[in-house]
Amino acid sequence: MGPQSESADDEGVILGVDGGTTNTVCVCLPLLPFSDHRQLPDPLPILGRAAAGSSNHNSVGENAARETLEQVIRETLSRAGKNHSAVRAVCLGVSGVNHPSDQNRILNWMRGIFPGHVKIYVQNDAVAALASGTMGKLHGCVLIAGTGCIAYGFTEDGREARAAGAGPVLGDWGSGYGIASQALTAVMKSHDGRGPETMLTKSILQSLGLSSPDEIIGWTYADSSWARIAALVPLVVSCAEAGDQVADEILNSAVQELALSVKAVVQRLHLAGKGMPRCLDKLIYYIPPY
């Protein structure tokens, strides 16, 4: 695309980034008037959009996460016909943002791209998901169940709480990664006699082009990125729908974990029975494929 005119760059834009463990999406919007009634154009006038891979630094590492964010921002602005100088604000909702140090890391990355006058906001992607379901009013509880999982809630006076979202090693068994890793474990247990036979064995081996469960070991550790493992979830769902008890138990256990996460947030914030807004995002059991 050729150089942009000054008049084009004078038209300020804002960027919104949804950074997930599997995909990262960026959209570019013009500056819009925003009233107390929260009425926005429908559909929104999206000037540019781009997608890339994971931007969760816990899954792919800091360098890869930063490169993904920079790439998706660069491509979005290019498709919008805008330069970085047109950007007035950037809002990033990124999975893996669990501590102020995580926020500061991404803020520093963005400060390497945008000048100091650009407003930059960094939050966990669950906060952005809740805001999208409540027109920006952070009140209620949101559940994200995709490659990872997290429940996040806010009270009207600004108190917040979360449950899960710490990654698969620390107990996110309601996530896509958690489900798929349990399915792989079930196949290995069936193979060596520690567990019952399961349709998951044939289904997973066929999908991966492997001839024996022993080959799953090499496949798993060759690249243990969360999104790659979680991509097996549709196979677990298919086996459960076909009547496989092992697959069905894995999914039921995941549902219980997700319910416990929501319950924990609601109880800690005393949200029950208060007309609480609820949002669901990326429900992996009903929106395949990954």
Side-chain angles (χ1 to χ4, degrees):
M1 181 173 293
Q4 304 301 315
S5 67
E6 291 187 7
S7 61
D9 273 348
D10 285 341
E11 298 174 2
V13 298
I14 58 176
L15 298 176
V17 179
D18 178 9
T21 305
T22 300
N23 300 305
T24 299
V25 176
C26 179
V27 295
C28 177
L29 298 170
L31 289 174
L32 297 170
F34 194 68
S35 71
D36 291 338
H37 301 291
R38 296 183 172 84
Q39 293 180 341
L40 293 172
D42 186 15
L44 287 172
I46 296 177
L47 303 177
R49 182 184 188 277
S54 173
S55 53
N56 185 326
H57 68 278
N58 292 321
S59 176
V60 297
E62 290 186 18
N63 289 338
R66 179 175 183 171
E67 289 172 3
T68 294
L69 291 173
E70 292 178 350
Q71 171 193 340
V72 79
I73 287 172
R74 183 172 59 251
E75 292 181 359
T76 298
L77 288 173
S78 175
R79 293 174 184 178
K82 297 289 183 178
N83 292 326
H84 285 70
S85 59
V87 177
R88 301 292 181 265
V90 186
C91 181
L92 303 100
V94 184
S95 63
V97 174
N98 303 310
H99 187 268
S101 63
D102 299 322
Q103 291 178 304
N104 290 333
R105 180 187 300 109
I106 296 177
L107 281 170
N108 289 334
W109 294 348
M110 293 298 103
R111 285 301 173 208
I113 302 175
F114 299 104
H117 71 271
V118 176
K119 296 180 179 179
I120 300 175
Y121 306 91
V122 180
Q123 290 285 354
N124 186 282
D125 60 337
V127 178
L130 178 59
S132 72
T134 59
M135 290 302 293
K137 182 177 175 60
L138 290 178
H139 172 225
C141 182
V142 63
L143 171 66
I144 291 182
T147 300
C149 66
I150 186 172
Y152 215 117
F154 284 84
T155 61
E156 289 187 287
D157 61 4
R159 290 180 297 115
E160 61 186 272
R162 55 176 283 174
V169 176
L170 298 177
D172 286 355
W173 298 118
S175 68
Y177 183 101
I179 292 168
S181 64
Q182 290 185 72
L184 291 170
T185 300
V187 171
M188 299 307 296
K189 284 186 173 182
S190 176
H191 177 58
D192 64 21
R194 290 177 293 153
E197 293 185 0
T198 170
M199 293 170 57
L200 289 167
T201 300
K202 181 178 180 180
S203 178
I204 289 176
L205 290 179
Q206 285 184 342
S207 176
L208 300 181
L210 306 177
S211 58
S212 165
D214 289 327
E215 296 179 65
I216 289 177
I217 301 172
W219 178 88
T220 300
Y221 295 112
D223 177 4
S224 58
S225 65
W226 301 352
R228 179 173 177 260
I229 301 297
L232 298 174
V233 167
L235 302 179
V236 185
V237 174
S238 295
C239 288
E241 291 175 341
D244 185 77
Q245 184 175 354
V246 173
D248 189 62
E249 289 176 355
I250 290 173
L251 292 181
N252 282 332
S253 176
V255 170
Q256 292 299 317
E257 287 289 333
L258 295 175
L260 284 173
S261 296
V262 173
K263 182 179 179 180
V265 170
V266 170
Q267 289 184 336
R268 286 167 62 190
L269 296 178
H270 306 288
L271 291 171
K274 296 185 178 181
M276 176 191 69
R278 296 171 295 273
C279 304
L280 300 175
D281 188 48
K282 301 178 185 175
L283 286 177
I284 53 181
Y285 314 117
Y286 305 110
I287 314 179
Y290 273 73

Tab-separated table of all heavy atoms in Angstrom, residues 176-208:
chain	number	residue	atom	x	y	z
A	176	GLY	N	-9.782	-26.302	27.096
A	176	GLY	CA	-9.574	-27.211	25.974
A	176	GLY	C	-8.311	-28.024	26.147
A	176	GLY	O	-8.277	-29.224	25.853
A	177	TYR	N	-7.255	-27.381	26.632
A	177	TYR	CA	-6.017	-28.105	26.882
A	177	TYR	C	-6.247	-29.183	27.941
A	177	TYR	O	-5.775	-30.317	27.802
A	177	TYR	CB	-4.923	-27.147	27.338
A	177	TYR	CG	-3.581	-27.819	27.559
A	177	TYR	CD1	-2.574	-27.725	26.604
A	177	TYR	CD2	-3.323	-28.547	28.716
A	177	TYR	CE1	-1.343	-28.334	26.803
A	177	TYR	CE2	-2.102	-29.163	28.923
A	177	TYR	CZ	-1.120	-29.056	27.969
A	177	TYR	OH	0.093	-29.676	28.169
A	178	GLY	N	-6.958	-28.829	29.002
A	178	GLY	CA	-7.207	-29.792	30.064
A	178	GLY	C	-7.975	-31.001	29.569
A	178	GLY	O	-7.661	-32.147	29.907
A	179	ILE	N	-8.995	-30.756	28.758
A	179	ILE	CA	-9.804	-31.850	28.209
A	179	ILE	C	-8.957	-32.751	27.316
A	179	ILE	O	-8.971	-33.976	27.434
A	179	ILE	CB	-10.992	-31.277	27.421
A	179	ILE	CG1	-11.979	-30.600	28.367
A	179	ILE	CG2	-11.696	-32.373	26.614
A	179	ILE	CD1	-13.025	-29.768	27.655
A	180	ALA	N	-8.203	-32.121	26.411
A	180	ALA	CA	-7.415	-32.906	25.457
A	180	ALA	C	-6.299	-33.676	26.149
A	180	ALA	O	-6.006	-34.821	25.791
A	180	ALA	CB	-6.841	-31.983	24.385
A	181	SER	N	-5.664	-33.060	27.141
A	181	SER	CA	-4.584	-33.762	27.838
A	181	SER	C	-5.130	-34.960	28.607
A	181	SER	O	-4.477	-36.010	28.677
A	181	SER	CB	-3.843	-32.809	28.776
A	181	SER	OG	-4.682	-32.334	29.805
A	182	GLN	N	-6.333	-34.823	29.173
A	182	GLN	CA	-6.945	-35.966	29.844
A	182	GLN	C	-7.319	-37.059	28.858
A	182	GLN	O	-7.244	-38.250	29.180
A	182	GLN	CB	-8.176	-35.513	30.621
A	182	GLN	CG	-7.837	-34.669	31.842
A	182	GLN	CD	-9.055	-34.340	32.668
A	182	GLN	OE1	-9.613	-35.206	33.347
A	182	GLN	NE2	-9.479	-33.089	32.614
A	183	ALA	N	-7.704	-36.660	27.646
A	183	ALA	CA	-8.008	-37.657	26.616
A	183	ALA	C	-6.749	-38.418	26.214
A	183	ALA	O	-6.772	-39.650	26.066
A	183	ALA	CB	-8.625	-36.973	25.398
A	184	LEU	N	-5.645	-37.695	26.036
A	184	LEU	CA	-4.383	-38.361	25.702
A	184	LEU	C	-3.952	-39.294	26.830
A	184	LEU	O	-3.466	-40.406	26.583
A	184	LEU	CB	-3.301	-37.321	25.441
A	184	LEU	CG	-3.467	-36.482	24.168
A	184	LEU	CD1	-2.474	-35.325	24.162
A	184	LEU	CD2	-3.294	-37.341	22.923
A	185	THR	N	-4.145	-38.851	28.060
A	185	THR	CA	-3.818	-39.694	29.208
A	185	THR	C	-4.673	-40.943	29.229
A	185	THR	O	-4.177	-42.053	29.519
A	185	THR	CB	-4.000	-38.906	30.516
A	185	THR	OG1	-3.142	-37.765	30.515
A	185	THR	CG2	-3.691	-39.767	31.729
A	186	ALA	N	-5.961	-40.796	28.896
A	186	ALA	CA	-6.864	-41.952	28.872
A	186	ALA	C	-6.424	-42.969	27.825
A	186	ALA	O	-6.518	-44.184	28.044
A	186	ALA	CB	-8.290	-41.489	28.600
A	187	VAL	N	-5.942	-42.485	26.689
A	187	VAL	CA	-5.455	-43.395	25.640
A	187	VAL	C	-4.239	-44.165	26.134
A	187	VAL	O	-4.126	-45.386	25.935
A	187	VAL	CB	-5.117	-42.603	24.364
A	187	VAL	CG1	-4.402	-43.500	23.355
A	187	VAL	CG2	-6.381	-42.027	23.742
A	188	MET	N	-3.313	-43.465	26.785
A	188	MET	CA	-2.115	-44.135	27.291
A	188	MET	C	-2.460	-45.140	28.385
A	188	MET	O	-1.888	-46.241	28.435
A	188	MET	CB	-1.122	-43.100	27.819
A	188	MET	CG	-0.632	-42.102	26.774
A	188	MET	SD	0.027	-42.891	25.282
A	188	MET	CE	1.439	-43.773	25.957
A	189	LYS	N	-3.402	-44.786	29.257
A	189	LYS	CA	-3.810	-45.718	30.321
A	189	LYS	C	-4.494	-46.952	29.744
A	189	LYS	O	-4.279	-48.069	30.208
A	189	LYS	CB	-4.738	-45.003	31.307
A	189	LYS	CG	-4.034	-44.054	32.260
A	189	LYS	CD	-5.009	-43.509	33.294
A	189	LYS	CE	-4.286	-42.703	34.351
A	189	LYS	NZ	-5.221	-42.195	35.390
A	190	SER	N	-5.307	-46.747	28.731
A	190	SER	CA	-5.960	-47.881	28.078
A	190	SER	C	-4.926	-48.791	27.424
A	190	SER	O	-5.029	-50.019	27.472
A	190	SER	CB	-6.957	-47.374	27.038
A	190	SER	OG	-7.537	-48.449	26.320
A	191	HIS	N	-3.915	-48.174	26.841
A	191	HIS	CA	-2.889	-48.928	26.124
A	191	HIS	C	-2.053	-49.795	27.056
A	191	HIS	O	-1.724	-50.948	26.724
A	191	HIS	CB	-1.986	-47.951	25.370
A	191	HIS	CG	-0.848	-48.587	24.644
A	191	HIS	ND1	-1.030	-49.546	23.672
A	191	HIS	CD2	0.508	-48.396	24.755
A	191	HIS	CE1	0.153	-49.927	23.201
A	191	HIS	NE2	1.097	-49.244	23.846
A	192	ASP	N	-1.716	-49.263	28.251
A	192	ASP	CA	-0.830	-50.040	29.126
A	192	ASP	C	-1.567	-50.811	30.214
A	192	ASP	O	-0.951	-51.435	31.076
A	192	ASP	CB	0.249	-49.147	29.746
A	192	ASP	CG	-0.301	-48.064	30.671
A	192	ASP	OD1	-1.438	-48.197	31.163
A	192	ASP	OD2	0.430	-47.070	30.915
A	193	GLY	N	-2.916	-50.784	30.187
A	193	GLY	CA	-3.687	-51.604	31.099
A	193	GLY	C	-4.139	-50.917	32.366
A	193	GLY	O	-4.799	-51.522	33.217
A	194	ARG	N	-3.847	-49.613	32.517
A	194	ARG	CA	-4.284	-48.900	33.723
A	194	ARG	C	-5.703	-48.376	33.623
A	194	ARG	O	-6.283	-47.945	34.621
A	194	ARG	CB	-3.342	-47.734	34.005
A	194	ARG	CG	-1.956	-48.122	34.466
A	194	ARG	CD	-1.100	-46.883	34.644
A	194	ARG	NE	-0.839	-46.217	33.373
A	194	ARG	CZ	-0.583	-44.915	33.228
A	194	ARG	NH1	-0.571	-44.134	34.307
A	194	ARG	NH2	-0.341	-44.398	32.044
A	195	GLY	N	-6.262	-48.368	32.410
A	195	GLY	CA	-7.592	-47.815	32.225
A	195	GLY	C	-8.412	-48.628	31.237
A	195	GLY	O	-7.877	-49.522	30.552
A	196	PRO	N	-9.703	-48.330	31.138
A	196	PRO	CA	-10.584	-49.079	30.243
A	196	PRO	C	-10.347	-48.736	28.773
A	196	PRO	O	-9.715	-47.726	28.450
A	196	PRO	CB	-11.981	-48.626	30.682
A	196	PRO	CG	-11.761	-47.242	31.212
A	196	PRO	CD	-10.422	-47.267	31.878
A	197	GLU	N	-10.842	-49.608	27.907
A	197	GLU	CA	-10.782	-49.313	26.480
A	197	GLU	C	-11.645	-48.093	26.172
A	197	GLU	O	-12.647	-47.828	26.841
A	197	GLU	CB	-11.279	-50.513	25.675
A	197	GLU	CG	-10.373	-51.730	25.758
A	197	GLU	CD	-10.844	-52.852	24.834
A	197	GLU	OE1	-11.873	-52.666	24.141
A	197	GLU	OE2	-10.181	-53.908	24.819
A	198	THR	N	-11.249	-47.365	25.153
A	198	THR	CA	-11.962	-46.149	24.796
A	198	THR	C	-11.866	-45.886	23.296
A	198	THR	O	-10.835	-46.185	22.670
A	198	THR	CB	-11.420	-44.932	25.566
A	198	THR	OG1	-11.976	-43.726	25.031
A	198	THR	CG2	-9.911	-44.842	25.485
A	199	MET	N	-12.931	-45.343	22.741
A	199	MET	CA	-12.935	-44.960	21.332
A	199	MET	C	-11.914	-43.865	21.046
A	199	MET	O	-11.553	-43.640	19.893
A	199	MET	CB	-14.334	-44.468	20.938
A	199	MET	CG	-15.411	-45.537	20.964
A	199	MET	SD	-17.073	-44.827	20.775
A	199	MET	CE	-16.889	-43.971	19.209
A	200	LEU	N	-11.481	-43.181	22.077
A	200	LEU	CA	-10.520	-42.099	21.896
A	200	LEU	C	-9.227	-42.603	21.246
A	200	LEU	O	-8.580	-41.873	20.498
A	200	LEU	CB	-10.197	-41.453	23.236
A	200	LEU	CG	-11.303	-40.618	23.874
A	200	LEU	CD1	-10.970	-40.307	25.328
A	200	LEU	CD2	-11.512	-39.329	23.084
A	201	THR	N	-8.856	-43.838	21.532
A	201	THR	CA	-7.612	-44.382	20.979
A	201	THR	C	-7.628	-44.360	19.457
A	201	THR	O	-6.748	-43.766	18.818
A	201	THR	CB	-7.382	-45.814	21.486
A	201	THR	OG1	-7.296	-45.810	22.913
A	201	THR	CG2	-6.094	-46.384	20.892
A	202	LYS	N	-8.627	-44.975	18.871
A	202	LYS	CA	-8.708	-45.032	17.410
A	202	LYS	C	-8.893	-43.645	16.817
A	202	LYS	O	-8.257	-43.286	15.810
A	202	LYS	CB	-9.861	-45.933	16.985
A	202	LYS	CG	-10.016	-46.071	15.470
A	202	LYS	CD	-11.154	-47.014	15.121
A	202	LYS	CE	-11.303	-47.131	13.601
A	202	LYS	NZ	-12.437	-48.058	13.245
A	203	SER	N	-9.735	-42.838	17.436
A	203	SER	CA	-10.040	-41.513	16.905
A	203	SER	C	-8.798	-40.627	16.883
A	203	SER	O	-8.498	-39.958	15.883
A	203	SER	CB	-11.139	-40.864	17.743
A	203	SER	OG	-11.427	-39.566	17.283
A	204	ILE	N	-8.062	-40.597	17.993
A	204	ILE	CA	-6.887	-39.733	18.083
A	204	ILE	C	-5.765	-40.232	17.188
A	204	ILE	O	-5.104	-39.443	16.505
A	204	ILE	CB	-6.426	-39.614	19.550
A	204	ILE	CG1	-7.446	-38.776	20.336
A	204	ILE	CG2	-5.040	-38.988	19.645
A	204	ILE	CD1	-7.149	-38.665	21.820
A	205	LEU	N	-5.541	-41.543	17.169
A	205	LEU	CA	-4.481	-42.086	16.314
A	205	LEU	C	-4.751	-41.777	14.843
A	205	LEU	O	-3.845	-41.383	14.100
A	205	LEU	CB	-4.346	-43.595	16.524
A	205	LEU	CG	-3.766	-44.046	17.864
A	205	LEU	CD1	-3.724	-45.564	17.936
A	205	LEU	CD2	-2.376	-43.470	18.084
A	206	GLN	N	-5.992	-41.947	14.414
A	206	GLN	CA	-6.337	-41.647	13.023
A	206	GLN	C	-6.142	-40.170	12.715
A	206	GLN	O	-5.616	-39.804	11.666
A	206	GLN	CB	-7.783	-42.061	12.736
A	206	GLN	CG	-7.981	-43.557	12.595
A	206	GLN	CD	-9.409	-43.922	12.222
A	206	GLN	OE1	-10.335	-43.109	12.381
A	206	GLN	NE2	-9.611	-45.131	11.729
A	207	SER	N	-6.572	-39.325	13.620
A	207	SER	CA	-6.461	-37.888	13.392
A	207	SER	C	-5.007	-37.438	13.290
A	207	SER	O	-4.667	-36.572	12.474
A	207	SER	CB	-7.153	-37.132	14.527
A	207	SER	OG	-6.985	-35.743	14.393
A	208	LEU	N	-4.144	-38.039	14.084
A	208	LEU	CA	-2.739	-37.636	14.116
A	208	LEU	C	-1.877	-38.400	13.117
A	208	LEU	O	-0.689	-38.103	12.959
A	208	LEU	CB	-2.168	-37.812	15.525
A	208	LEU	CG	-2.850	-37.019	16.645
A	208	LEU	CD1	-2.170	-37.282	17.979
A	208	LEU	CD2	-2.858	-35.536	16.327
